[in-house]
Each structure stands twice: as C-alpha cells, then as structure tokens.
Amino acid sequence: MSQRFNKPSLTPQFCFNETALRDFLRLSRSTIDDSIVQNLNALVTPAQAGFDPSSTAARQIEPARRKPIDQDACQGFKDNVLLPSWQTRSDVLNYCAGVALDPQDPDLLLREAETAKERERVVNERLDPYSGRFFPREARTESLGNLVRNERGVEGIIRARTWGLVMERCGDIGVGWEEALNRWREKKEDK
C-alpha cells in the first residue's frame, strides 16, 4: 500500500518554482490517487480457500463481484493515507495562494521599469511594423495565482474520482469528499 507523500518545506521560493510545485503535486497524486484501485486491492484479505480451477471452466458473462473490503482497513486507509495526502496538498496550495496574493512582488519594480522604458521608446512602424507591439510580462504572483487556481480545479476532479472509487469499494456512507475531509480535520484537531 502506498504511503503518503511528505510535505515540502513551504517557502515563497518553492511556490514561485512552478516546476517544483507541479512535480510535488504530480508525485503526490500518482502515489495515492492515480493508483487508488491498487491501494484498495491491497486492503483485501487474500482468499482462504485458494484457487478453484472450476472457476475458469465457464465463461463469466456478469462482472465478477468484488470482495468487500474490511471496514476497519478502509477507515485506516482513509485516515492514515488518503486524507492526510489530500490535506498536505491543500496546505501547499493554500500557502502558495497566500504567496500569490502578497503585494510585495519582487518583480514589480522590474516590470514597472520595462513599462516606462517602452513608453519612452520612439517607434518607426514604417521601418519595423512589429516594433510598436509591447507585450508586458505577467507578474510572478499572477502566474502563481493562475497555477494555483488551475491546480485546485484539477484537485477537485481527482478527489471526486478517487472518493467515488473508495466509496464503491468500502461502502457508500453518503458523504462527499469535502465533508469527509472536514470531518477528518475536526477529528484530528480534537486529538
């Protein structure tokens, strides 16, 4: 069974390094969510009777019924692996969203200097028709904000899919992933 992915040290440099941020999210998702079927199969107790060769004598038209997973094993997987992994990713995205909202963008002065330089430039569009175009650089904080917004959307889709598979295999308790995560957080805070 997969173990949860360790939380990186949260610094603004980590957030602004979009490759490192994306790699952390990708690795965390691949460790837990992308392999959820294998993780759930690992919770099933092996058969007691062994292999029955007659089970292959006739073609099975109906899909085989999956063996139910022990509720304690399911709850342990959710409490110790799945939900902590989701919480770690939420913590990272929330921290980076806070960094993206910081008005003290170090690139702000550079962008303002570029804008002032472009305003002072004399352009002869007859000689170079493309010289009049100016494409200001996007602020690092804006870029980070867009990345966090996109990753939160991806996270919601992945969690809904994963939670659906967990509920199918562990038994539907009628609670969505958001509510389950909030209950887990509350239970963790009470300890």
Side-chain angles (χ1 to χ4, degrees):
M1 177 171 45
S2 295
Q3 297 298 316
R4 62 189 170 131
F5 202 75
N6 291 333
K7 187 176 186 175
S9 58
L10 296 179
T11 63
Q13 291 79 15
F14 172 76
C15 293
F16 285 123
N17 184 346
E18 291 184 6
T19 303
L21 178 58
R22 281 192 177 122
D23 284 348
F24 164 75
L25 294 169
R26 182 178 45 80
L27 288 172
S28 178
R29 290 170 181 155
S30 69
T31 304
I32 304 299
D33 295 278
D34 292 350
S35 58
I36 190 66
V37 173
Q38 291 87 346
N39 291 330
L40 292 173
N41 286 342
L43 299 175
V44 176
T45 307
Q48 301 295 327
F51 176 68
D52 178 15
S54 67
S55 67
T56 61
R59 184 172 181 201
Q60 302 293 325
I61 304 291
E62 298 172 6
R65 298 275 179 220
R66 290 189 173 165
K67 187 174 181 181
I69 299 173
D70 178 55
Q71 290 299 313
D72 292 335
C74 261
Q75 194 61 43
F77 173 74
K78 290 186 280 186
D79 289 344
N80 300 321
V81 178
L82 182 63
L83 296 175
S85 173
W86 287 359
Q87 182 62 45
T88 298
R89 294 198 309 252
S90 291
D91 290 345
V92 168
L93 289 173
N94 289 340
Y95 176 80
C96 289
V99 170
L101 294 175
D102 185 13
Q104 297 299 323
D105 183 10
D107 286 347
L108 183 62
L109 294 175
L110 180 62
R111 278 195 339 277
E112 286 176 353
E114 284 178 351
T115 304
K117 184 178 171 185
E118 283 298 316
R119 273 186 261 146
E120 294 173 3
R121 195 169 67 138
V122 177
V123 177
N124 185 347
E125 289 192 24
R126 242 181 82 213
L127 297 176
D128 184 4
Y130 300 104
S131 64
R133 296 183 183 172
F134 172 63
F135 301 105
R137 290 186 320 144
E138 184 179 40
R140 283 191 330 166
T141 53
E142 290 174 21
S143 176
L144 178 59
N146 289 334
L147 174 65
V148 168
R149 194 170 18 270
N150 290 340
E151 291 299 334
R152 281 183 172 162
V154 168
E155 198 67 24
I157 293 166
I158 289 172
R159 289 178 184 183
R161 177 193 163 273
T162 298
W163 191 250
L165 290 170
V166 168
M167 291 299 91
E168 177 185 313
R169 295 292 303 278
C170 293
D172 188 1
I173 57 173
V175 175
W177 69 263
E178 297 99 339
E179 180 64 26
L181 186 58
N182 288 334
R183 286 181 185 177
W184 176 81
R185 287 175 182 147
E186 290 170 2
K187 191 167 73 170
K188 186 178 159 193
E189 288 174 3
D190 289 343
K191 287 183 180 180

